[in-house]
């Protein structure tokens, strides 16, 4: 499957539980292959299947979680 | 005005709840980590607010209306 990678900057994470929460929640989404969230860099690195989801959909998802998410281009 | 109980372990979680409720047009948002309470004034129904809060990925329950 055609997969792609997106880096999303995530403002508003203060501790490990936020990191785990995002990794679990995003990880459950259809088409998401891997999620790595770094508290220090305030970034999420997500690999996903292009057919099933998109960078903007993943950004909106994190935004809906209550964090300030923006695509790192 | 509605009261919810939300699984909040840190300030980041309470900020996240405040942010999603603000984006949904909620006002006078109060979050209390100790009692895991979230209070918000909104013209939206409690079900709509519940759905919005559920998107944070946290366990949420509706406690009831607050006068």
């Amino acid at each position: 499957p055609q997969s792609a990678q997106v880096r999303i900057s995530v403002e508003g994470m203060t501790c490990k539980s936020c990191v785990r929460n995002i990794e679990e929640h995003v990880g459950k989404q259809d088409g998401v292959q891997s999620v790595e969230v770094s508290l220090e860099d305030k970034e999420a690195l997500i690999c996903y299947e292009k057919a099933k989801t998109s960078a903007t959909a993943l950004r909106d998802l994190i935004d809906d979680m209550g964090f300030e998410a923006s695509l790192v281009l | 005005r509605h009261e919810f109980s939300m699984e909040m372990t840190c300030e980041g979680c309470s900020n996240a709840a405040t942010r999603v409720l603000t984006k949904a047009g909620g006002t006078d948002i109060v979050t209390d980590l100790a009692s895991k309470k979230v209070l918000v004034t909104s013209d939206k129904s409690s079900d709509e607010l519940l759905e919005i809060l559920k998107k944070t990925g946290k366990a949420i329950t509706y406690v009831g209306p607050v006068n």
Side-chain angles (χ1 to χ4, degrees):
Chain A
Q2 256 270 332
S3 69
Q5 199 178 47
V6 63
R7 230 155 25 115
I8 297 177
S9 106
V10 184
E11 289 293 330
M13 294 186 291
T14 53
C15 71
K16 276 274 166 266
S17 81
C18 304
V19 170
R20 223 177 21 258
N21 184 28
I22 293 176
E23 283 174 345
E24 268 164 34
H25 196 57
V26 175
K28 275 188 288 189
Q29 300 307 310
D30 190 21
V32 170
Q33 293 160 330
S34 77
V35 187
E36 269 167 63
V37 178
S38 155
L39 190 55
E40 300 71 31
D41 310 335
K42 294 188 180 171
E43 262 185 15
L45 198 60
I46 306 172
C47 292
Y48 62 93
E49 280 170 59
K50 287 173 99 161
K52 291 193 175 152
T53 183
S54 71
T56 42
L58 292 167
R59 190 207 68 82
D60 292 345
L61 182 77
I62 296 178
D63 216 56
D64 283 350
M65 292 185 73
F67 298 100
E68 295 302 329
S70 52
L71 294 178
V72 176
L73 298 176
Chain B
R1 188 158 170 77
H2 299 285
E3 179 180 337
F4 294 89
S5 123
M6 175 173 167
E7 192 39 51
M8 290 187 283
T9 48
C10 67
E11 207 205 315
C13 311
S14 64
N15 294 345
T18 307
R19 226 179 253 124
V20 292
L21 289 173
T22 312
K23 258 187 257 178
T27 53
D28 314 322
I29 297 158
V30 172
T31 56
D32 174 24
L33 275 178
S35 60
K36 297 191 195 276
K37 280 204 172 71
V38 175
L39 297 165
V40 58
T41 300
S42 164
D43 45 20
K44 288 189 156 58
S45 71
S46 57
D47 294 340
E48 277 170 293
L49 292 169
L50 204 57
E51 280 317 307
I52 290 166
L53 282 167
K54 274 194 186 136
K55 285 192 194 154
T56 61
K58 291 276 172 182
I60 313 272
T61 48
Y62 180 52
V63 175
V66 173
N67 35 33

